[in-house]
Amino acid sequence: MWARWVLAGYLIGFLEGSCVHILDLARDGIHAYASFPQASLQVFFVSLAMLDPLVAVLVGLVRREGIWLASAVMVTDVFANWWGNRHWLQDDPARLVWLSPITLFGLFVVAFLLPLHRAVVRTRVAQP
């Protein structure tokens, strides 16, 4: 039962991320993340417009791959946000509040990686 709630949390988070990144691209095009000076971060954040919906679909289908991909995406996303915003954080530490939701969601996803994976494997094995 708990696994369904965790999967729902994953799904809500990645659907929200999908909307944010797709709307950013719809509004500002390929240069939506030009405020990040590193081209690698810009490319990564653009790629989230495809990765976040992919994770949402895989998690919605209760696929083990979706659970692992969710963790990989969130670890990378949290790191990229902290790295890309590090100069603003030095100038204005209050911006930590802005990074709190993504950091907390990333911790949530990673914390449930192994328990959720085990629960999904057990459920699949138990089904004929």
Side-chain angles (χ1 to χ4, degrees):
M1 181 64 167
W2 65 267
R4 289 179 192 228
W5 287 104
V6 172
L7 286 169
Y10 274 36
L11 194 56
I12 291 166
F14 281 98
L15 288 174
E16 188 271 339
S18 299
C19 290
V20 166
H21 294 290
I22 290 168
L23 289 173
D24 285 348
L25 288 175
R27 184 181 54 245
D28 298 322
I30 196 77
H31 301 291
Y33 302 101
S35 64
F36 292 99
Q38 303 90 347
S40 58
L41 290 181
Q42 294 175 27
V43 169
F44 173 71
F45 288 122
V46 168
S47 75
L48 287 175
M50 294 172 281
L51 287 172
D52 282 351
L54 175 61
V55 170
V57 167
L58 292 173
V59 166
L61 294 172
V62 192
R63 302 288 307 206
R64 292 176 300 191
E65 299 84 358
I67 297 165
W68 285 96
L69 183 59
S71 291
V73 167
M74 285 313 302
V75 166
T76 312
D77 197 358
V78 169
F79 176 78
N81 270 286
W82 277 86
W83 182 258
N85 289 297
R86 72 189 183 288
H87 60 284
W88 291 322
L89 292 173
Q90 290 171 348
D91 297 338
D92 182 13
R95 290 188 68 122
L96 284 171
V97 173
W98 183 77
L99 290 175
S100 295
I102 193 163
T103 303
L104 292 173
F105 182 65
L107 289 171
F108 169 76
V109 169
V110 172
F112 280 100
L113 168 64
L114 293 178
L116 191 57
H117 174 78
R118 284 188 213 113
V120 168
V121 168
R122 276 194 304 267
T123 302
R124 295 225 182 244
V125 170
Q127 293 176 348

